[in-house]
Amino acid sequence: MTWTVHKFGGTSVADASCIRRVAGIIGGQRNGNNLAVVVSAMKGVTDDLLGLVDKAAKRQPVEATLAALRARHEKANVELLGAEGAKAIMASFDQDLADIDSILKALSLVRAASHRSRDLVSGYGEIWSARQIAAFFEQELGQTRGVLFVNARDVLVIEHTEMGPVTAWDLSRPKLAAAIPSGFAGVAVITGFVASDKDGLPTTLGRNGSDYSASNFGAVLHADEVHILNDVD
């Protein structure tokens, strides 16, 4: 099965109505290829997460930002999946928030934020976005196509060099085979921006790295095409 990659930025997945438009675009694809849908965090979420790291390092309060992030994602999930359907997604979200809160408390104690802690916390936005979009696609498209959530941290292995992040293809391709079954047919919803290093620790491709993520997945999937979609007036 051949692949086509579609990448949607933060503005394209900013809220429930935007995600429904994305589902309409993906649902309308009829070329017979498997579809890899690489998504950014909802617009503004990465900035909020990085702001939390900075606040914690300065021992400033973080509770309001955490509550706002939860309220925003819960609203989108309930609008997309209904109150009952959103419960499982929000349970995972709350576990992530608890992990973030633990990280922030540690940063507050040492009054410093390392590059690794910033990468770890800022990458949650893509995970939340891809997870809720995969659940919505399963609801909307699942009767006709398979739908799979893929965390790029489980696939892409990155080495940071003077020229920027470089993909370790020999390590990434076997991980892709483990993440996406060989007989899979349908839509894989994939986190942009995030990856892991050769030690298996979470990292990122840098700000605005989701386009690079899409190209990386185009390469490891041997895709026919990679489409970078942007919302403009």
Side-chain angles (χ1 to χ4, degrees), residues 71-191:
R72 181 179 179 185
H73 285 82
E74 183 177 40
K75 181 176 186 293
N77 276 302
V78 170
E79 288 181 11
L80 291 169
L81 305 170
E84 190 64 30
K87 285 183 178 179
I89 301 296
M90 290 309 299
S92 296
F93 186 95
D94 285 337
Q95 181 58 61
D96 291 341
L97 275 192
D99 292 341
I100 291 171
D101 188 53
S102 296
I103 295 166
L104 297 178
K105 286 177 180 175
L107 297 179
S108 179
L109 286 173
V110 298
R111 297 194 181 189
S114 67
H115 181 73
R116 192 174 298 282
S117 64
R118 293 175 69 84
D119 274 359
L120 177 58
V121 173
S122 65
Y124 276 103
E126 272 70 18
I127 294 171
W128 296 336
S129 176
R131 191 186 282 150
Q132 71 180 1
I133 290 170
F136 183 60
F137 280 9
E138 177 67 34
Q139 180 177 285
E140 295 295 300
L141 309 174
Q143 292 184 351
T144 57
R145 302 184 187 184
V147 178
L148 186 66
F149 163 69
V150 178
N151 187 342
R153 285 176 172 168
D154 298 329
V155 176
L156 289 184
V157 180
I158 296 297
E159 182 179 4
H160 290 281
T161 72
E162 292 182 358
M163 298 297 291
V166 175
T167 304
W169 303 110
D170 58 329
L171 298 176
S172 298
R173 288 194 171 98
K175 289 179 176 291
L176 176 79
I180 302 180
S182 59
F184 176 76
V187 181
V189 182
I190 304 171
T191 55

